[in-house]
Amino acid sequence: MTAITLDRRVELTIRSLILGVLITLVFTAANVFLGLKVGLTFASSIPAAVISMAVLRMFSGATIWENNIVQTVASSAGTLSSIIFVLPGLVMIGWWTGFPFWTSFLVCGLGGILGVMYSIPLRRALVTNSDLPYPEGVAAAEVLKVGSGAGSDAAGAAAEGKAGLQVVLVASLASAGVYVLSKTRLMAEEFTKFFPVGGGVGAAGTSFSLALFGAGHLVGATVGIAMLVGLLIAWGVLTPVLTSMVPMTGDMGEFATGVWRTKVRFMGAGAIGVAALWTLGRLAAPLWKGLTGALAAQARRSAGDAASLDITERDIPIGIVASVSVVALAPLAWLLWSFLSTATAAGPGLASAGAIGLIGGALVYIVIVGFLVAAICGYMAGLIGSSNSPLSGVGILAVLGASLLLVLARATLAPEAGPVLVAFALFVTAIVFAVATIANDNLQDLKTGQLVGATPWKQQAALIVGVIAGALVIPPILSLLNEAYGFAGAAGATADALPAPQATLISSLAKGVLQGDLDWSLIGIGCLIGACIVAIDEVLRLTGKLRLPPLAVGIGIYLPMTTTAPVVIGALCGWAFDRWADGRPAGAIIKRMGVLLASGLIVGESLLGIAVAFVIVVTQNQNPLALVGEAFEGPAILVGIAVSVAVMAWLYAFSAAQGKKANI
């Protein structure tokens, strides 16, 4: 009989699950807001580990493995919240006017559980038998080791834990304060300067968001430079060239932004698609090895030899994985039927016999493509970290695949079925995306577990708890932000509408394919750019020196300039801070303080964004904190520059001082 071998270590406990869930709720809310605002989310493993160690230290018997369970549960916040890269598209196309709680919950929950199941046979290929760096997983393991006293004295571990918690809190308060100041309009949130370039238009600008700066610190210099290359391609080459080919109409800024939004971003999508496919091609052999390893482990369990497996090799048995994956198809089928057959203001539902074929095809698509994207995302997490993984690139491939398949089905359906097919393509993509996001995170967590000697099956069970907790909080947060701000391009959106760049792009692709008006030439040009970047990166890889991650270049092309620029600045400043720390006695601790600083910047601004959204909904005032009008824009930009530079300089100095203080 298949069973999971138990051990008596303090690892998977009720208190670790409760603490992990509480942290998950906070970080999920923060990530939803950040993702909708700037198209990026952050991994919450490290700040969760720091908070966990500070809290569990007050109880007797806490272990490094118990703290690892807390960060495993909480880390789902940084990944499942990425569902907002797709789900708001249903509001943008007018199919939904809000986010039905149970439907949204099931999309996140069922997709997330499948993501956990799919990542289990991938663990051996991408963690155990792989030399992928897993930057965030390794960093989280180091934080756990130091904070739990592994390899150091208890006093030193306690000192670093206390210092780290102070850095997170101070950075969160500073980031929140700067965000509030920007909402008063005494300080600008961003600025962009457009200027003639030859016969076209170029631009330069940035956001003063400290959350984005923190994200840049976390992604590192390699990804930051690659995003800078993408930014230069978009605004230094493509936009000037394309704007020079048509007569300028209206305001220069609106004209250039329109060209970038309707043309250049689709080229970026093509570049990301090529990079993602290249990643998949390189995964074939290790994936097969991992699957055969999982089957071999199952055979050993069946033969009664489970005890001989090292504790770090004990996954949820492959038989249970297969059973859960199959059982999950029943509620998924009902969910697809419910969505497809329900009419909305945008058009009638589809309850004919043809719907059964669509549901069957969608289930097959979710199973097969879900596993493939789980592999891609797991590899990307290992290569550049969960925070840096361009999950939206996978979403682009998934929505293109779903839409192209539905084009074939459309010929057999009534003409009025067009709107529901677009919505159905997005809905199926959302489920696949939920699979992808959790697989992206789970393998990072399992790498951390491997380094601290944790039990994989306990982490996998803990992540399911985190998935359910995250799925409960995402729908109400989305509804709150939709009511307060709306989404760019959706009906009723305000002037402060959240850009939701990935959802905008993915919904545009679905409409373009199914309505037959997608400009494939733009995608093709982007594919050529992506192929060139892949070739350059491969040459650099062979030299063993620099790297130019193609996915990061693609992100730099299609994310807004004011989103990309502060990430690049943060990456370069973070690199400089780490190089400075390398020459100091407490260098390793100071660098870890930098990571916690960056995490605090993200959390503070994001949570204040949620709070301001609540105030907007209650007061029905889109600018409830504004103290001055648009006439103050010029001075506000200068204030933004001064405040951002001063605050970040002080925070880096404070973090370094805390690192030195903890070096006892």
Side-chain angles (χ1 to χ4, degrees):
M1 179 178 177
T2 298
I4 295 175
T5 303
L6 302 177
D7 63 84
R8 298 182 180 277
R9 295 192 309 181
V10 177
E11 188 169 0
L12 184 62
T13 62
I14 296 297
R15 68 186 181 190
S16 67
L17 293 177
I18 292 174
L19 180 57
V21 167
L22 293 176
I23 297 173
T24 293
L25 298 180
V26 174
F27 283 140
T28 298
N31 262 306
V32 168
F33 177 77
L34 183 69
L36 290 171
K37 182 179 180 182
V38 298
L40 295 172
T41 58
F42 70 99
S44 50
S45 298
I46 291 175
V50 171
I51 295 170
S52 171
M53 290 183 292
V55 173
L56 292 184
R57 197 179 298 278
M58 296 185 291
F59 300 90
S60 62
T63 66
I64 188 173
W65 307 295
E66 191 176 17
N67 284 311
N68 182 55
I69 289 295
V70 175
Q71 72 85 17
T72 297
V73 175
S75 65
S76 63
T79 49
L80 188 60
S81 54
S82 296
I83 193 69
I84 52 91
F85 292 166
V86 181
L87 215 53
L90 291 166
V91 174
M92 292 175 176
I93 66 171
W95 192 258
W96 279 357
T97 56
F99 295 90
F101 177 80
W102 288 111
T103 301
S104 302
F105 167 78
L106 289 174
V107 168
C108 298
L110 291 173
I113 290 171
L114 280 179
V116 176
M117 296 299 109
Y118 285 173
S119 64
I120 291 171
L122 297 174
R123 185 185 64 82
R124 285 181 172 81
L126 298 180
V127 177
T128 304
N129 302 319
S130 170
D131 59 357
L132 289 170
Y134 286 97
E136 291 164 358
V138 172
E142 288 301 311
V143 170
L144 286 169
K145 289 177 182 178
V146 172
S148 299
S152 63
D153 62 282
E160 182 170 347
K162 181 179 179 180
L165 188 58
Q166 288 177 349
V167 168
V168 171
L169 291 175
V170 170
S172 298
L173 291 173
S175 179
V178 171
Y179 181 78
V180 170
L181 183 61
S182 71
K183 288 301 178 183
T184 66
R185 294 189 173 179
L186 293 172
M187 167 186 161
E189 294 188 61
E190 62 183 39
F191 80 93
T192 305
K193 175 67 176 177
F194 296 93
F195 46 83
V197 177
V201 181
T206 186
S207 163
F208 297 119
S209 166
L210 297 191
L212 286 178
F213 186 98
H217 184 113
L218 292 177
V219 303
T222 298
V223 172
I225 291 172
M227 292 180 69
L228 175 61
V229 171
L231 180 63
L232 294 175
I233 291 173
W235 287 98
V237 179
L238 296 177
T239 302
V241 169
L242 292 172
T243 51
S244 70
M245 297 171 65
V246 294
M248 184 184 304
T249 56
D251 177 75
M252 179 187 294
E254 293 180 359
F255 171 66
T257 302
V259 169
W260 169 81
R261 185 177 60 251
T262 58
K263 297 183 181 296
V264 175
R265 263 205 316 183
F266 285 92
M267 296 180 185
I272 290 174
V274 166
L277 289 174
W278 177 257
T279 298
L280 179 60
R282 297 186 63 181
L283 273 177
L287 286 180
W288 176 253
K289 188 175 180 180
L291 184 58
T292 55
L295 293 173
Q298 174 66 18
R300 292 172 66 182
R301 286 192 184 91
S302 300
D305 195 26
S308 68
L309 278 176
D310 186 83
I311 195 169
T312 60
E313 288 298 311
R314 298 176 188 172
D315 293 300
I316 292 177
I318 199 68
I320 295 178
V321 170
S323 299
V324 172
S325 300
V326 171
V327 168
L329 296 181
L332 271 178
W334 175 85
L335 184 64
L336 292 168
W337 170 262
S338 175
F339 180 86
L340 195 58
S341 61
T342 302
T344 71
L350 188 63
S352 63
I356 298 176
L358 290 179
I359 293 169
L363 288 174
V364 172
Y365 187 80
I366 290 168
V367 169
I368 296 176
V369 176
F371 185 81
L372 293 178
V373 299
I376 293 173
C377 291
Y379 182 87
M380 291 190 299
L383 181 64
I384 58 176
S386 300
S387 296
N388 313 330
S389 299
L391 293 173
S392 51
V394 175
I396 288 167
L397 294 176
V399 77
L400 283 174
S403 300
L404 288 170
L405 291 174
L406 288 174
V407 166
L408 300 177
R410 185 173 184 175
T412 63
L413 301 173
E416 59 269 19
V420 71
L421 290 181
V422 173
F424 192 62
L426 291 173
F427 195 70
V428 171
T429 301
I431 298 172
V432 171
F433 208 75
V435 173
T437 60
I438 291 301
N440 178 264
D441 172 71
N442 195 13
L443 292 169
Q444 193 83 247
D445 290 331
L446 290 171
K447 181 63 177 182
T448 301
Q450 180 196 42
L451 295 174
V452 301
T455 313
W457 77 261
K458 293 182 179 180
Q459 285 189 272
Q460 291 151 2
L463 194 62
I464 293 175
V465 174
V467 165
I468 295 172
L472 286 169
V473 76
I474 287 173
I477 294 296
L478 279 174
S479 295
L480 174 65
L481 294 175
N482 180 44
E483 186 175 349
Y485 303 114
F487 305 119
T494 68
D496 294 323
L498 294 166
Q502 286 88 342
T504 302
L505 179 60
I506 289 172
S507 60
S508 297
L509 287 171
K511 290 172 65 177
V513 171
L514 285 162
Q515 294 174 0
D517 56 2
L518 181 64
D519 190 344
W520 287 100
S521 65
L522 298 175
I523 302 291
I525 294 171
C527 289
L528 289 175
I529 294 173
C532 291
I533 299 299
V534 166
I536 293 171
D537 183 54
E538 286 300 304
V539 171
L540 293 174
R541 182 178 66 86
L542 294 175
T543 64
K545 296 180 180 179
L546 302 174
R547 295 299 302 271
L548 189 67
L551 290 163
V553 176
I555 285 179
I557 293 173
Y558 91 80
L559 281 183
M561 177 192 301
T562 51
T563 297
T564 304
V567 175
V568 173
I569 295 170
L572 296 177
C573 289
W575 173 84
F577 180 78
D578 287 347
R579 296 293 75 74
W580 174 84
D582 283 335
R584 300 296 187 276
I589 299 177
I590 292 173
K591 289 166 72 172
R592 288 195 288 270
M593 293 297 148
V595 172
L596 297 173
L597 162 65
S599 301
L601 293 176
I602 295 170
V603 171
E605 179 175 318
S606 300
L607 293 183
L608 254 292
I610 299 292
V612 171
F614 180 77
V615 174
I616 290 173
V617 171
V618 172
T619 63
Q620 293 297 303
N621 179 358
Q622 289 300 314
N623 300 292
L625 304 181
L627 299 177
V628 296
E630 295 181 0
F632 195 70
E633 181 179 3
I637 292 174
L638 298 177
V639 173
I641 295 173
V643 168
S644 299
V645 171
V647 169
M648 285 314 308
W650 183 83
L651 285 174
Y652 271 128
F654 174 77
S655 300
Q658 290 296 104
K660 294 175 184 177
K661 186 188 301 183
N663 187 34
I664 61 174

